[in-house]
Amino acid sequence: MVRSISDELRRELAGQRALVTSVHLGAADTATTNGSHVPGMAPADVPHAALDGIEADAFEVVIDEFTVMAKASLRRSSSWSENDA
C-alpha cells in the first residue's frame, strides 16, 4: 500500500521536481514491541537511514534486515508483482 501511494504521488509531482521516498521498516525496539518475537532496530537508527536514502535521491528505503528478507520472499512468490510492494 505504501509503495502504491508513493508511486502515485511520484507521478503526480513529476513536473515539480519533488522527491517522494517511501520508507519501509519491520519493527523498531519501542515500548510497543517489547516482548515481540520480531527483531527490532534502535529507534534512533530509523531517521538516520531514512535521511541517508533521501540524500541519495532514493525512491525507496528499506531500513531493516527483516523487511529486506520479507520483500525478497515476496519477490520469489509467483503471485507477487512489483506493484504490490
Side-chain angles (χ1 to χ4, degrees), residues 9-18:
L9 281 172
R10 216 173 277 115
R11 280 190 287 276
E12 287 185 30
L13 299 174
Q16 298 178 28
R17 299 177 39 106

Side-chain angles (χ1 to χ4, degrees), residues 2-3 5-10 13 18-24 46-47 49-63:
V2 171
R3 176 75 183 264
I5 292 169
S6 298
D7 288 345
E8 185 57 34
L9 281 172
R10 216 173 277 115
L13 299 174
L19 173 65
V20 177
T21 302
S22 59
V23 178
H24 304 266
V46 176
L51 288 173
D52 287 346
I54 292 167
E55 288 176 355
D57 292 333
F59 288 151
E60 177 181 75
V61 177
V62 181
I63 294 183

Side-chain angles (χ1 to χ4, degrees), residues 22-46:
S22 59
V23 178
H24 304 266
L25 169 67
D29 291 327
T30 65
T32 304
T33 60
N34 282 346
S36 172
H37 67 281
V38 176
M41 63 185 306
D45 293 340
V46 176

